[in-house]
Amino acid sequence: MIRVLLADDHQLVRTGFRVILEIEDDIEVVGEAFDGRQAVELSRRMRPDVVLMDLEMPGMNGLEATEVVTAEQGPAVVVLTTFDRDDYLFAALRAGASGFLLKNGTPEALIEAVRVVAAGEALLSPAITRRVIAEFAATGAPSQAAARVEELTPREHEVFVQLAGGATNAEIATALRLGETTVKTHVSRVLMKIGARDRTQAVVLAYEWGVVRPGG
């Protein structure tokens, strides 16, 4: 069962999300927060697997709450917003969000988002990935980042590049001719060595550090 916490200052929005999610047999909404501060408190107390976090909330906003939750190695955070703005997108990713979802999406997209991040995968649509590339691809890797990359073995570096392209474990296994269990081990080691919380941050770091460039 995937345990979900909803954080939004509009009760109707929270109610709508609850109805959509609790139809599914494998998802349970364990709490609702009306602002970022309450989201942090409930996250600590209820230990959900996923937080659906609105950005625009009074008091502590969603970005601030996301930073606190992810810094404490809490649940995965999917940021929800009605605004398709790059500054929100990149701020959310830098704050440690595992995904970014627009509120005008479909119920199916919301359900899939919860399942994807609960499984430890990145939630970046192709359109969002292109914008991440545009933002970070021209940035050179700072010395500290270069040192972390140098700690990777050749195989781990190959896995890192595959991660940057948004590949799943199964796709990486096929591309590198490895077993999925072996890929999972490599992914865990890559995330640990580069200091990334999850696959989404690995994608951001890969482009921010110049490990990969557009076109290959």
Side-chain angles (χ1 to χ4, degrees):
M1 185 68 71
I2 302 171
R3 294 164 52 81
V4 179
L5 172 65
L6 306 176
D8 195 294
D9 59 326
H10 292 96
Q11 184 174 354
L12 285 177
V13 172
R14 298 197 307 271
T15 300
F17 286 161
R18 178 183 283 273
V19 170
I20 290 170
L21 294 173
E22 291 199 328
I23 292 175
E24 304 301 312
D25 293 336
D26 59 336
I27 299 175
E28 176 187 10
V29 176
V30 297
E32 299 182 17
F34 55 80
D35 64 14
R37 192 171 305 281
Q38 189 180 39
V40 171
E41 293 172 355
L42 292 179
S43 176
R44 289 168 177 165
R45 188 166 78 243
M46 296 182 169
R47 311 289 295 179
D49 301 302
V50 178
V51 178
L52 296 179
M53 186 83 74
D54 184 29
L55 287 183
E56 296 288 329
M57 292 187 288
M60 177 185 284
N61 63 37
L63 287 178
E64 295 168 329
T66 297
E67 289 179 354
V68 175
V69 169
T70 57
E72 295 179 352
Q73 298 299 306
V77 175
V78 176
V79 167
L80 294 160
T81 182
T82 56
F83 304 102
D84 189 8
R85 288 175 42 178
D86 284 348
D87 55 343
Y88 282 169
L89 166 61
F90 299 125
L93 293 176
R94 287 192 175 102
S98 295
F100 186 90
L101 197 64
L102 296 179
K103 288 184 179 179
N104 61 3
T106 64
E108 291 78 12
L110 178 66
I111 294 166
E112 180 65 13
V114 168
R115 289 175 175 153
V116 166
V117 299
E121 300 284 349
L123 180 65
L124 287 176
S125 70
I128 289 177
T129 301
R130 285 194 295 271
R131 287 155 63 183
V132 170
I133 292 172
E135 171 74 5
F136 294 119
T139 304
S143 58
Q144 184 179 7
R148 291 185 182 183
V149 173
E150 288 175 359
E151 292 181 6
L152 301 177
T153 66
R155 179 61 83 186
E156 288 167 352
H157 193 279
E158 290 178 328
V159 171
F160 190 19
V161 172
Q162 292 288 322
L163 284 176
T168 65
N169 286 350
E171 291 168 340
I172 295 174
T174 299
L176 302 182
R177 297 182 179 179
L178 299 170
E180 285 196 48
T181 300
T182 301
V183 169
K184 289 180 181 179
T185 300
H186 283 313
V187 169
S188 296
R189 289 175 178 171
V190 168
L191 296 181
M192 179 185 66
K193 288 183 177 181
I194 67 175
R197 170 187 168 86
D198 54 27
R199 301 167 78 101
T200 304
Q201 284 191 322
V203 172
V204 173
L205 291 175
Y207 285 99
E208 189 173 23
W209 293 352
V211 173
V212 288
R213 299 284 183 181

